Amino acid sequence: QDETTTPAGDTGTEADETTETVGDTIEPQDSVVGPDPPEVEDASDTLSVTLGEVTPALDFSPIVPGQNLEIVQGPQGGVHVEVGVRVELEPGLSSVLATLDATSAIEGELVGDMLLADYGLYETPEGYVSWSIPVIFFTDLADPYVGATLDLSITVLLEDGSSGTGTAQVTLIDWY
């Protein structure tokens, strides 16, 4: 980076000969909006995360073991399931952004995933809730999965380093 010299306290007179060097000595600073995040001693699995179905109004219904979950036919030919998360956090936070790492498996074999960064969680009376997350299957066919037991897992990682994982087991159905 080139160094630039500019008159310090330039008053427009020739008597002002002091200079200030600007360039490599300026360190970039992270900008933080809002209060500093809390200190986290052990950042692993400190959050309580529940998987469930979410409506557009952010109404959250936890998934119960063995519950039927529909395979959704995507508009571009793919198939996925939609699931949301609810995270227990202190109320009143102005903004909660998270990285969500979702996986799905059948009989121990990974069959789908989704990774979302800077995904918003929204405060509700029961906790902070995400919109529905599409956990996309690796194949474009729903038929092989119909009736299978799907193990879902979503890890939530917050900006302060705290994290937690929610899991659910569902039975896959297909209406089409």
Side-chain angles (χ1 to χ4, degrees):
Q1 182 177 12
D2 293 337
E3 288 192 351
T4 307
T5 0
T6 57
D10 186 8
T11 60
T13 65
E14 292 180 353
D16 232 337
E17 293 184 22
T18 310
T19 60
E20 179 181 327
T21 302
V22 179
D24 292 330
T25 59
I26 297 177
E27 298 287 327
Q29 299 293 317
D30 291 334
S31 61
V32 177
V33 178
D36 290 335
E39 294 287 328
V40 178
E41 291 179 19
D42 180 9
S44 62
D45 294 328
T46 57
L47 299 176
S48 173
V49 177
T50 304
L51 304 189
E53 294 184 281
V54 182
T55 69
L58 292 177
D59 293 327
F60 185 88
S61 299
I63 292 174
V64 297
Q67 172 180 327
N68 288 338
L69 191 62
E70 181 182 3
I71 299 170
V72 178
Q73 308 288 326
Q76 296 175 335
V79 294
H80 63 275
V81 292
E82 294 180 349
V83 63
V85 298
R86 182 177 63 204
V87 180
E88 293 179 21
L89 297 170
E90 64 182 75
L93 299 173
S94 60
S95 172
V96 177
L97 295 178
T99 297
L100 304 178
D101 187 1
T103 60
S104 60
I106 295 175
E107 296 179 1
E109 181 181 340
L110 194 63
V111 294
D113 66 3
M114 175 57 73
L115 179 64
L116 300 168
D118 295 330
Y119 201 75
L121 301 179
Y122 302 92
E123 187 174 8
T124 70
E126 293 82 32
Y128 288 79
V129 174
S130 72
W131 296 110
S132 287
I133 301 158
V135 184
I136 299 172
F137 288 100
F138 298 143
T139 66
D140 292 343
L141 301 173
D143 292 344
Y145 303 124
V146 174
T149 299
L150 184 72
D151 295 310
L152 289 165
S153 175
I154 299 180
T155 299
V156 176
L157 174 64
L158 299 182
E159 293 173 306
D160 68 1
S162 58
S163 67
T165 300
T167 60
Q169 193 172 68
V170 297
T171 301
L172 295 172
I173 60 172
D174 184 19
W175 296 116
Y176 295 101

